[in-house]
Amino acid sequence: MTTAIHELWLENRRAGITIGIAETAPRISFIADASGPFELRFTRDDGRIETARVTDTQRVAWPFTPLAPREGGTLRVSGEKSPDGALETRVEVGIGDDWQVDFVSPSTVASRDAPRPAFLLRAVFDEANLPGDIRHARLHSTAHGVYELELNGVRVGDDILAPGWTSYSHRLRYRTHDITDALNDGENVLGAWLADGWYRGHIGFDGGVWDAYGSDVALLAQLEVTATDGSLHLVPLEWTWAPSAITEVGLYEGETFDARMLDKGWSAPGFDASDWKCAEVLPRTSFAARIEAPTALPVQEIETLPPVSVERQPDGRIRLDFGQNISGVLRVRVKADAGHTIRLHHAEVIEDGRLGVRPLRSATSVDTYIAAGDGVEIYRPRFTIHGFQYAELENWPGQLQDGDVEAVVIHTGMRRTAWFDSSHDGLNKLHSNVMWSMRDNFVDLPTDCPQRDERVGWTGDIQVFAPTALRLFAAHGTLTGWLRDLAFEQSDQGHVPNFVPWVECGFPNFPTAAWGDAAVIVPWEMYRNDGDVRILEAQYPSMRAWVDLVDELSGGSGLWNQGFQLGDWLDPTAPPEDPGKSHTDKYLVATAYHVRTARIVADTAALLGHVDDEARYRALAEKATRAFQDEFLSPTGRVVSDTPTSIAVALVFDLFADEAQAARAGSRLLELVGIGGFHISTGFVGTPIICDALVRAGSMDFAYHLLRQEELPSWLYPVSMGATTIWERWDSMLPDGTINPGDMTSFNHYALGAVADFLHRAVAGLSNDGPGWERIRFEPRPGGGLTRASARYDSVRGSASVAWVRDGERLIVTVEVPAASTGVVVLPGSTEEIEVGPGTHRFDTAFRAAVDDPDAPFYGWRREEPTAA
Ligand code: BGC
């Protein structure tokens, strides 16, 4: 029988980059449809072959001679006796620190604080610079600003907004591109577009900042050719520059492209560049940032969407609805006279018959195209990105034809790993909306929103969303890089900025619970998801420093009860203009998180073998637990403050002194949720865990009542209003179709969508029982009138799935365990744990019929119906 290898990756980069990696001995992981032994075979470019026999599939230590910088070859994995099912990948190390060239710049002084032009850079080389017999050619590059490369008139790579946004003063990522096939005999031209981006453009809110990282924009490009004899040749490049057709561009503001200024053929041989100016050389060593290989795929064009409706407006604009709120830009195809100017406007929603642009704040999001007038022209903005579902074309010449405009979806390239489906259309749509909000907000780093003048890496948002993010997509690479930035930006005292990378635009820069806790919780969730302790090793100093800081802030008492807090942010009872004014005690939240992260650091210390640390953080966690109990719990199990978030936090973080207390609090939680008419009454902290808390309190039915609620505030209210993403506020759009008056109203924030994880784990019943999906728990919980639900997860050990179907009082449960895992099945109504091995298993059992699922009980609370006039 053939053993097929389905997936093969290095480090944690599932389906990611394999050329230009940092590790000289990358760990190897793969998924096989049968157990080992397996053969690993590495064929170096010089023909040397090494093989190894392994039985494990996860993070196998590189069994070959370590690679030198630039060295590469082909890795093949197969079942020991079945080369037919083999899978191969290229493995090639980047240049490490071996930079031989300097930055080159067309602009070292930033002009006024307004969108600035992009530049073109150009370098020419010919055969005289190249060896006779070329094995391969590599271009290693990065920039201050954002850039796109062209070689001989053809785009290099598919990176968008490269090099992405990192904490530039500490860390700048470069990319290695294979350009072997793009080289010409004779003259060759390397070109680059270069603009401000995050480095020098406008970023942040409340006015934001300009030139956050420097006053220059600059390119760093090292072109290397390896001859067939293995010798390495650095191709000398002399750069000149010229203004580009992009006359103004900002990530928030949009791009203006004057096609009349485009010098056709500028990056191809034979072009007359005699009037281009010499670029200024900026010594690489005058910048402190470490230049690193990426840990994830870049931002890319992922798919395109045609409009679902096209409508001419009374003012002559053409309105397009793409049927989906996305992050991206438009691609237009147009024929117009020279100088004809078209404006592309973007918005997430329509209000009062017009594009609802108020929530964008200062992110104008208008692209302008000035036609060259030479036939059919195609334009996609390069250096800006918008969050939108609707667009309006202003001054479009003539009629719009099918295919003239499409929306280009742009975000980090990530492998999708999870699927959920059920008999409930609303829940399915909710799940789809969460997927989209994650995609739209993983634009190189995990951001809060893709549309307004913000789009920053808020720590609290990814802290609550991390388990869901890691379920839906293989997001490890992105999060690994972002956590490096977090650690770099953490102060010596352990303080974690509220968003990372941090830009000083006036937001309070104080330690904040649930936000700063991302330093501990995100790496922990990553470890839980794939079982790889390396992220914990890497982040350990950062994790500890945060918990130590909070211990200090509590005056060593364990009770964190002073200073700035965001608390249960966006609790629906808080006024729109004051989202932090929750009815849950902020310091209860702060102390609860302190317990949680101290416990995680203790567990991490244990895993990493730091015995003394383990004892220290265990003691710290116990002290904080006692402080929490003394301050916020009555001996009989009342919680101060008496809110769903407070009780949920205490239940899910396991903060009660005994089961009797927890039971009393649990019944109070059920009561409160019932009194609230099964509407959401939790914010950023409570919402992601409220359903788990209800299950812990003994009622999955209550979780279903909450999940199926459509009245405001609820998860399904936005769905009932036609949402295609998760909103920042439950009522980002009010029932009358107007936009929430709050200044902070986005239609695309993933945080409140963290419940998607519960759909997988509890509704369908598919969860990880211990780190890395080595052991899988199948525990379906039918209810809510659903007649079926199913989930699949492509774990690092292979695909696991569960499906349940109700037929009257019959319940059929089917589970699938991948070859490298084992499972345990717990059927509804039973506590028996049924052990299962790899393969598919079917259970036919009895459970109450869907029609007998309970209705939400009445707690004497009803929304007032408007009386007919
Ligand atoms: C962001 C949030 C963030 C919050 C905290 C908002 O402006 O969009 O998602 O966590 O501020 O203050």
Side-chain angles (χ1 to χ4, degrees):
M1 211 187 81
T2 305
T3 299
I5 310 298
H6 296 290
E7 218 191 309
L8 167 59
W9 69 96
L10 305 172
E11 291 300 326
N12 59 22
R13 290 187 283 264
R14 293 183 78 184
I17 42 158
T18 56
I19 292 189
I21 62 173
E23 300 80 8
T24 52
R27 294 170 299 162
I28 301 163
S29 303
F30 54 94
I31 292 169
D33 65 1
S35 50
F38 306 98
E39 187 195 73
L40 308 187
R41 170 183 294 258
F42 188 61
T43 310
R44 279 173 209 256
D45 291 343
D46 62 11
R48 274 181 297 151
I49 296 176
E50 288 174 87
T51 57
R53 181 173 184 266
V54 300
T55 48
D56 201 1
T57 64
Q58 293 302 298
R59 297 176 298 278
V60 174
W62 183 255
F64 316 116
T65 316
L67 295 158
R70 302 182 177 85
E71 202 181 357
T74 304
L75 172 68
R76 193 188 76 167
V77 178
S78 60
E80 193 174 40
K81 291 187 192 69
S82 52
D84 290 355
L87 207 59
E88 287 187 353
T89 182
R90 170 102 195 142
V91 181
E92 187 180 312
V93 176
I95 56 174
D97 292 327
D98 194 11
W99 288 93
Q100 304 289 335
V101 299
D102 288 311
F103 282 95
V104 288
S105 173
S107 166
T108 55
V109 182
S111 58
R112 68 197 169 95
D113 291 351
R116 299 158 185 156
F119 302 91
L120 296 179
L121 283 154
R122 187 174 196 278
V124 180
F125 57 95
D126 62 24
E127 291 142 316
N129 306 113
L130 304 174
D133 279 325
I134 296 177
R135 179 190 289 164
H136 63 231
R138 297 288 185 259
L139 181 56
H140 312 282
S141 64
T142 185
H144 290 166
V146 281
Y147 73 113
E148 269 185 28
L149 295 168
E150 294 183 14
L151 179 59
N152 297 327
V154 179
R155 174 128 196 242
V156 176
D158 59 0
D159 313 37
I160 291 189
L161 297 173
W165 187 12
T166 48
S167 178
Y168 292 136
S169 15
H170 302 101
R171 201 170 76 88
L172 181 64
R173 279 165 305 177
Y174 78 98
R175 187 86 202 273
T176 298
H177 289 290
D178 178 359
I179 52 159
T180 319
D181 295 339
L183 289 178
N184 283 337
D185 294 336
E187 189 181 68
N188 284 277
V189 179
L190 182 60
W193 295 79
L194 179 65
D196 285 2
W198 296 277
Y199 188 88
R200 193 176 79 164
H202 179 206
I203 44 174
F205 48 98
D206 290 341
V209 293
W210 291 83
D211 316 323
Y213 297 95
S215 59
D216 65 303
V217 284
L219 175 75
L220 184 70
Q222 183 158 314
L223 202 169
E224 297 179 345
V225 176
T226 303
T228 37
D229 66 4
S231 60
L232 180 73
H233 302 255
L234 175 69
V235 179
L237 299 172
E238 287 202 4
W239 292 91
T240 57
W241 72 271
S244 81
I246 299 174
T247 56
E248 289 183 353
V249 62
L251 289 166
Y252 296 162
E253 292 82 1
E255 181 172 289
T256 299
F257 193 98
D258 187 344
R260 294 170 305 180
M261 291 175 62
L262 181 67
D263 281 329
K264 288 228 171 63
W266 69 275
S267 67
F271 177 82
D272 175 13
S274 50
D275 58 345
W276 287 42
K277 299 183 197 57
C278 285
E280 194 172 328
V281 175
L282 308 180
R284 200 187 59 258
T285 47
S286 57
F287 301 99
R290 190 159 100 187
I291 302 175
E292 296 187 349
T295 54
L297 283 177
V299 174
Q300 296 166 326
E301 212 181 286
I302 305 294
E303 62 177 304
T304 55
L305 304 177
V308 295
S309 79
V310 178
E311 211 185 313
R312 181 74 73 167
Q313 300 301 299
D315 62 4
R317 288 186 182 188
I318 300 171
R319 179 177 300 163
L320 308 167
D321 174 0
F322 291 94
Q324 176 61 54
N325 200 12
I326 64 162
S327 65
V329 291
L330 298 180
R331 185 185 285 115
V332 300
R333 180 180 70 192
V334 67
K335 200 163 179 289
D337 294 337
H340 186 97
T341 301
I342 301 155
R343 287 203 168 74
L344 315 173
H345 301 258
H346 306 79
E348 297 185 285
V349 291
I350 302 294
E351 184 188 35
D352 284 339
R354 277 193 280 273
L355 293 182
V357 293
R358 179 175 56 83
L360 304 178
R361 303 194 303 217
S362 76
T364 345
S365 309
V366 178
D367 298 323
T368 304
Y369 184 73
I370 304 164
D374 51 6
V376 175
E377 300 172 38
I378 291 175
Y379 170 63
R380 168 179 75 70
R382 276 188 174 75
F383 296 131
T384 191
I385 185 162
H386 314 298
F388 68 101
Q389 172 173 343
Y390 298 90
E392 281 184 3
L393 315 175
E394 183 189 338
N395 203 26
W396 188 265
Q399 295 300 313
L400 193 72
Q401 310 293 328
D402 274 358
D404 280 352
V405 182
E406 57 187 2
V408 183
V409 177
I410 293 174
H411 55 76
T412 299
M414 291 178 294
R415 180 192 171 87
R416 179 176 177 176
T417 46
W419 290 261
F420 171 83
D421 191 32
S422 75
S423 58
H424 195 288
D425 293 342
L427 293 181
N428 298 345
K429 183 65 182 163
L430 173 70
H431 187 265
S432 153
N433 293 358
V434 181
M435 299 276 309
W436 273 101
S437 277
M438 168 158 177
R439 294 175 60 181
D440 298 340
N441 280 297
F442 268 62
V443 178
D444 199 52
L445 68 159
T447 63
D448 57 335
C449 58
Q451 74 299 82
R452 67 179 177 226
D453 53 0
E454 201 153 345
R455 317 182 191 180
V456 296
W458 281 99
T459 47
D461 302 41
I462 190 62
Q463 184 272 113
V464 298
F465 192 69
T468 309
L470 292 160
R471 173 72 71 122
L472 300 181
F473 288 90
H476 297 75
T478 300
L479 295 177
T480 299
W482 182 78
L483 284 170
R484 279 186 198 168
D485 287 333
L486 181 148
F488 272 129
E489 299 213 342
Q490 202 170 1
S491 73
D492 293 343
Q493 289 73 40
H495 167 54
V496 176
N498 285 316
F499 52 89
V500 172
W502 175 254
V503 285
E504 204 59 73
C505 53
F507 192 82
N509 189 12
F510 303 118
T512 307
W515 271 253
D517 289 294
V520 177
I521 293 170
V522 175
W524 182 252
E525 290 298 337
M526 289 168 70
Y527 158 70
R528 297 227 344 115
N529 179 278
D530 69 1
D532 187 358
V533 295
R534 198 165 281 183
I535 190 68
L536 297 175
E537 285 164 5
Q539 297 302 125
Y540 188 61
S542 154
M543 297 166 78
R544 276 181 43 178
W546 169 255
V547 172
D548 290 348
L549 170 71
V550 176
D551 182 39
E552 218 177 288
L553 291 171
S554 81
S557 70
L559 180 71
W560 188 4
N561 66 351
Q562 43 103 6
F564 176 80
Q565 292 296 341
L566 291 166
D568 193 21
W569 182 251
L570 278 170
D571 170 338
T573 60
E577 66 290 353
D578 196 356
K581 216 171 183 180
S582 158
H583 60 318
T584 294
D585 188 321
K586 293 179 159 117
Y587 299 117
L588 176 147
V589 170
T591 306
Y593 265 97
H594 182 36
V595 176
R596 173 146 186 241
T597 46
R599 285 182 187 163
I600 292 175
V601 173
D603 291 344
T604 304
L607 270 169
L608 303 182
H610 304 306
V611 183
D612 294 348
D613 280 4
E614 186 197 349
R616 171 171 143 61
Y617 290 99
R618 208 61 83 205
L620 214 154
E622 272 159 31
K623 177 177 69 181
T625 309
R626 274 195 309 278
F628 182 92
Q629 292 169 346
D630 290 348
E631 183 80 1
F632 302 112
L633 302 183
S634 84
T636 55
R638 279 185 169 271
V639 182
V640 178
S641 40
D642 185 30
T643 66
T645 291
S646 307
I647 303 176
V649 159
L651 280 172
V652 174
F653 293 3
D654 194 14
L655 302 175
F656 291 99
D658 53 49
E659 197 44 44
Q661 268 191 359
R664 165 87 197 276
S667 52
R668 177 61 182 159
L669 176 65
L670 300 184
E671 197 173 54
L672 284 175
V673 168
I675 292 169
F678 299 96
H679 296 93
I680 290 279
S681 57
T682 45
F684 260 43
V685 166
T687 304
I689 56 171
I690 187 73
C691 287
D692 285 301
L694 291 168
V695 171
R696 172 76 173 81
S699 185
M700 181 67 190
D701 290 327
F702 271 50
Y704 273 116
H705 301 328
L706 209 54
L707 281 170
R708 291 167 63 220
Q709 175 64 269
E710 289 188 16
E711 287 174 0
L712 192 62
S714 67
W715 281 293
L716 294 190
Y717 165 76
V719 170
S720 77
M721 293 291 284
T724 61
T725 39
I726 300 299
W727 295 351
E728 178 173 27
R729 299 170 181 269
W730 300 109
D731 56 353
S732 282
M733 180 171 278
L734 303 173
D736 66 3
T738 57
I739 298 171
N740 187 300
D743 165 56
M744 197 196 70
T745 300
S746 129
F747 291 87
N748 209 349
H749 256 62
Y750 50 55
L752 300 178
V755 69
D757 185 45
F758 183 83
L759 298 178
H760 289 262
R761 275 188 295 109
V763 171
L766 178 61
S767 63
N768 167 352
D769 200 14
W773 293 81
E774 198 166 346
R775 194 173 147 86
I776 301 167
R777 190 170 182 89
F778 301 94
E779 189 169 2
R781 298 177 191 272
L786 274 63
T787 53
R788 62 178 170 82
S790 59
R792 181 181 128 202
Y793 177 61
D794 282 356
S795 84
V796 288
R797 290 179 173 267
S799 199
S801 68
V802 62
W804 55 257
V805 183
R806 295 160 90 178
D807 177 12
E809 289 186 354
R810 210 172 146 205
L811 175 75
I812 314 280
V813 177
T814 312
V815 308
E816 184 199 354
V817 182
S821 307
T822 61
V824 52
V825 179
V826 181
L827 295 170
S830 147
T831 50
E832 189 197 349
E833 302 205 333
I834 308 162
E835 299 286 333
V836 286
T840 304
H841 309 270
R842 188 169 177 275
F843 302 86
D844 192 336
T845 180
F847 191 67
R848 82 179 172 226
V851 290
D852 295 329
D853 285 341
D855 282 336
F858 177 55
Y859 278 78
W861 188 97
R862 276 279 183 270
R863 181 177 292 271
E864 266 184 39
E865 296 299 335
T867 41

